Every structure is written in structure tokens, then in C-alpha cells.
Amino acid sequence: MRRFLREHSLTLVFGGLFLAALVGQLFAGHADYNERQAALGQPLLTLGSYLFSADFLVDVVENWQSEYLQFFLYVTATVWLIQRGSTESKPAEKAGRETDEEQQVGAHVKKDSPKWAKAGGWRTAVYSKSLGLAMLVLFLISWALQWVAGWYANNSDPLAEKMGLFDYFLSADFWNRSLQNWQSEFLAIASMAILSVYLRQRGSPESKPVGSPHSVSDRSG
């Protein structure tokens, strides 16, 4: 058990932080929602009712979709785009899909390579893009949930203009929710890419060694 916890500590810690933050958001969001309802003279919701409400769901998934969009764009764009000296970038000479030897596919698979990497054909082709595809699917699912939940929450608001599902997709509220999250994610990626050229965090795989030259792109530790 101790070995399992150590080897999976990154996922376990951030999974725990996610759950703690989600519970905190539930309580804070519930209090905020009831404050607004009371000010308008509208009925209050219990914590359980708020948990399953469109208002809570849309607030949760609008952040999820922007995170998955960030990772989808990041893992796909960094195949071709580079930032010299950044640990978030490959060296210029490695830009692109790289050779079968570098990617350990085809005639260069290893004995312990994943099953679909060895399979060849469409399975290897899909597996070679599976991380980006997974992030894209998760983005589209969470964005669709934001769309439907936001529409339902809007139509449940007695002061809001009632509209159809497609009309809500074209509404200012939907795109304001989406774009305010997207711009922060794009800024975060750009900031990390350029700051990792010049700044260091000793021992982190997201940073170059403290004494590594600024121009080195593919070294971490």
C-alpha cells in the first residue's frame, strides 16, 4: 500500500484536492445562490437540491471544458509548434510527428510496448493520437453539458429572457461563460512556455535543471 501511494501520489493528491475544492464550491455556491434568491424574494434551495441544480452544474462544467480545451490544444499544438529554451517545447529539429524509431512503433516496437502500439494499422494510428482525442472528447462533452445546463439555468431565472436551446448557444451569456475561461487557459499556456525558458523550480519535471542554459529546450529535472 505504501508503494502504491508513493507511485501514484501525484494523481491521488490532486484528485483529493479536486474533491475538496468541489465540496467547497458546493457550499459556497449554495450560500451565494440563496443570498441572491433571498434578495429577489424567490424560494431558497436546500443543499441537496442545489447539488443537482443546473446552476451548480453549469458553474462546474464551464471550468472543466476550458481545462480540457487547454490540454487538447497543448498536446496537439506542441507536435509542431516550438518555444526555444522552454521545457514545454521540443527542440526545433524534432518538430513534427518524429520518426517510427523515435516513437518506437512499426519495426521499432519494444517487448513491453502497449498492445495497440504493436498492433499496427488503424489501432496504432488511433493509439498514436489517443491522448489528444481523449482530451477533445472530454472537452466536447463538458462543453455540451455547460450549454444544456446554462440554458436550463437561464430559463429557470425569473428575470432572464426565456429562449430555446439553440438560441442559448448563440447568446451572450453562453459565449461570455466560455470565452472568459478560454482566455485564461491560453494565457496560462503562453506564460508557462515563456517563463520556463528563464525561471527554474529545482527538482520539478516542469523545469530545467537550475544550471541549465536558457537555450536548452528538452532537458528537465
Side-chain angles (χ1 to χ4, degrees), residues 85-99:
S86 175
T87 56
E88 304 301 305
S89 168
K90 298 188 291 185
E93 63 272 15
K94 290 188 177 182
R97 300 175 65 247
E98 301 183 6
T99 65

Side-chain angles (χ1 to χ4, degrees), residues 64-73 135 138-139 142:
W64 290 3
Q65 57 89 6
S66 64
E67 297 296 338
Y68 287 124
L69 175 63
Q70 175 195 131
F71 285 122
F72 164 66
L73 293 176
M135 294 300 168
L138 289 169
F139 161 66
S142 54

